[in-house]
Amino acid sequence: MLKKSKLSLAVAGALGLTSMSFMPAQAQEQGAGQLEEVVVTGTRIQRANLVTSSPVQQLDAEQFQFSGLTRVEDVLASIPQVSLDQSSGQSIEAEGTATVQLRGLGVSRTLVLIDGKRMPINSPNSGESGPDLNMIPMQLVKRVEILTGGASSTYGSDAVAGVINFIMMDDFEGIKLDVQGAEYRHDNSGNAIARATAERGFTPPSGDVDDGGTKDLTFLMGGNLNEGRGNITAYATYRRIKEVVQGDRDYSSCAVTVRPDGSLSCGGSATNQAGSFYFGNDDFTNIYNVQGNELIEGVGTRYNFAAPSYLQRPDKRYTGGAMGHYDVNEHVEAYTQIMFMDNRTVAQFGPAGVFFDGGFSVNCGNPYLSEQQRGVMGCSGDPDELVDTLFGRRNVEGGPRQGDLRHSTYRGVFGLRGDINDTWGNDLSYQYA
């Protein structure tokens, strides 16, 4: 027979006292009182934010389900203390992972756990070693406890900002198939950014657009062992997310800045398709653009580098694994978690080019130069004369720059835990990732 914990005794006592207190007297006298409902207005059930000195915020499984989101990091981003470090909306310098941080102190100062055990780092290419939340199956999340007060005294310097602990469901019984689908719909009805885009000479998008379709499938299967002494739960998930391009949204079709008078100005790169030159200096005051076989003063038509960039990266993810625990006796419980994740995403942003990052000399006798171009360059007539220049041109023929990013992560946890007596307990585990 298993020893009852103080918590179970407290719950039983609370329910027993409540049922006794709320039993109508007339029903007791007649012996026909059948209790239909118990309302517990006070309880001794412990919650993390009631028994710790640091503030703890808790998200339950219902909050994940009712959000309608399929990415764990998007749900966490609704909490003011949480900010996304790597997200689906990042293309430039994207690592293809999903990482979060607390209080803006960086992912290497935010500890992320699954059932109190550390998650593996996201990528060897990462500047900071934050765990990849793509590994976590959302349908198995029981709750998330977020400690934002710092826990370096317990976990070390990687918990200076705080701790995010995902508590997974460990008592699932039956078979469950969860299917979700969604997409974005936007009406490009025009706004201040669209007007600024048109003023720059770029064409802003118009009309309705439907994109960014998401498909998410989760299969769960679990059952109890030996009359409830243990449980094994297995899962498999598949998620497919399509891209959203910035140029398809009026609010993101151009990179804007705010003028001193408060109006918006649409940006654009002098590294354009035609090509631009600075002659004889490096202070960027003597610039010409190429039109046909002539050099025309000014930058010319700038390049809208924002339009081809992804507002949401396309993503394909598979996860699978199993979790189990078994009460060997009243003092020892064996447990394990085996998890796998394979994720592939593509980042896209403006085409590469020569960005005025290196000077060179142009021979005035170059046969590709017209007389007008030689005059602008200041050639004196000597074909061997050299004119120093800085050059910039966008490689639009090569298409946008892309990063094909793929990560495969394995994690295994094996351990024994239990209560030695009313005061002491133990938890011995081994983890490999």
Side-chain angles (χ1 to χ4, degrees):
M1 180 177 180
L2 296 179
K3 179 183 68 175
K4 291 186 177 180
S5 65
K6 292 183 178 179
L7 178 61
S8 63
L9 293 174
V11 173
L15 293 178
L17 289 174
T18 304
S19 62
M20 291 173 61
S21 301
F22 281 82
M23 182 70 72
Q26 183 178 1
Q28 293 180 10
E29 294 176 359
Q30 297 177 356
Q34 182 175 357
L35 185 64
E36 295 182 356
E37 181 179 3
V38 175
V39 179
V40 180
T41 57
T43 176
R44 295 180 62 190
I45 298 177
Q46 294 182 349
R47 292 172 64 92
N49 58 344
L50 297 179
V51 297
T52 62
S53 58
S54 299
V56 175
Q57 185 161 357
Q58 184 167 296
L59 294 177
D60 296 325
E62 291 78 8
Q63 294 173 268
F64 280 82
Q65 296 174 3
F66 293 154
S67 69
L69 301 171
T70 60
R71 291 185 289 253
V72 171
E73 65 272 20
D74 291 342
V75 181
L76 296 181
S78 62
I79 301 175
Q81 298 93 327
V82 177
S83 60
L84 302 184
D85 184 71
Q86 288 282 325
S87 66
S88 61
Q90 184 170 350
S91 283
I92 298 178
E93 298 182 355
E95 298 170 359
T97 60
T99 57
V100 297
Q101 56 180 310
L102 292 170
R103 301 183 181 274
L105 296 178
V107 296
S108 61
R109 295 295 178 260
T110 300
L111 182 63
V112 183
L113 309 173
I114 297 179
D115 289 331
K117 308 299 181 183
R118 296 170 185 258
M119 289 186 63
I121 63 173
N122 58 5
S123 171
N125 294 328
S126 174
E128 289 191 278
S129 55
D132 187 359
L133 301 187
N134 281 311
M135 170 166 274
I136 298 175
M138 182 180 292
Q139 297 296 330
L140 270 176
V141 175
K142 189 175 183 179
R143 67 181 185 275
V144 181
E145 296 175 351
I146 302 175
L147 173 65
T148 59
S152 58
S153 61
T154 302
Y155 295 102
S157 61
D158 51 352
V160 167
V163 181
I164 301 176
N165 187 18
F166 289 88
I167 309 299
M168 310 305 291
M169 186 187 308
D170 62 355
D171 56 355
F172 181 78
E173 289 188 88
I175 296 176
K176 178 180 179 181
L177 177 63
D178 184 273
V179 180
Q180 295 188 49
E183 68 177 11
Y184 295 107
R185 179 176 178 82
H186 179 68
D187 178 17
N188 291 305
S189 55
N191 51 34
I193 297 178
R195 291 190 292 272
T197 302
E199 290 174 2
R200 173 62 72 180
F202 305 143
T203 302
S206 60
D208 296 336
V209 59
D210 300 294
D211 55 12
T214 299
K215 295 180 181 178
D216 186 89
L217 288 82
T218 302
F219 177 76
L220 302 178
M221 181 174 61
N224 290 332
L225 304 173
N226 196 6
E227 299 181 352
R229 293 182 62 178
N231 179 276
I232 295 179
T233 300
Y235 69 93
T237 75
Y238 168 78
R239 186 185 69 194
R240 178 70 180 270
I241 300 175
K242 294 186 178 181
E243 70 277 1
V244 176
V245 183
Q246 287 189 203
D248 293 337
R249 295 286 193 279
D250 48 12
Y251 57 79
S252 62
S253 58
C254 187
V256 296
T257 57
V258 181
R259 298 189 181 100
D261 62 359
S263 62
L264 298 180
S265 173
C266 174
S269 175
T271 307
N272 52 25
Q273 179 176 355
S276 301
F277 290 86
Y278 292 98
F279 291 111
N281 62 74
D282 56 1
D283 59 2
F284 297 159
T285 60
N286 188 23
I287 186 170
Y288 291 84
N289 68 90
V290 179
Q291 295 185 21
N293 62 349
E294 296 184 348
L295 291 173
I296 307 301
E297 188 174 359
V299 175
T301 302
R302 292 179 176 268
Y303 181 77
N304 185 4
F305 55 87
S309 301
Y310 281 155
L311 196 61
Q312 173 179 272
R313 298 193 314 267
D315 178 270
K316 182 186 291 185
R317 186 198 70 172
Y318 300 90
T319 68
M323 304 177 184
H325 62 91
Y326 187 80
D327 293 329
V328 179
N329 55 47
E330 62 178 353
H331 296 293
V332 179
E333 179 188 39
Y335 64 93
T336 184
Q337 289 182 347
I338 301 174
M339 307 176 72
F340 165 77
M341 182 274 296
D342 182 84
N343 185 70
R344 182 181 181 184
T345 183
V346 176
Q348 177 173 296
F349 45 101
V354 180
F355 296 99
F356 305 99
D357 52 1
F360 63 96
S361 299
V362 177
N363 189 337
C364 286
N366 191 311
Y368 290 102
L369 295 175
S370 66
E371 291 300 322
Q372 188 270 352
Q373 291 172 331
R374 291 189 179 92
V376 171
M377 292 169 55
C379 293
S380 61
D382 183 0
D384 294 328
E385 181 181 2
L386 299 177
V387 177
D388 294 333
T389 181
L390 289 173
F391 173 66
R393 185 183 183 277
R394 184 76 56 166
N395 179 29
V396 295
E397 296 85 357
R401 282 170 285 182
Q402 288 190 337
D404 193 340
L405 307 166
R406 183 173 181 178
H407 296 87
S408 297
T409 305
Y410 306 82
R411 177 179 181 266
V413 178
F414 310 90
L416 298 172
R417 62 192 172 196
D419 294 329
I420 299 175
N421 52 40
D422 292 340
T423 304
W424 292 89
N426 67 86
D427 189 340
L428 176 66
S429 64
Y430 170 80
Q431 174 172 292
Y432 178 83

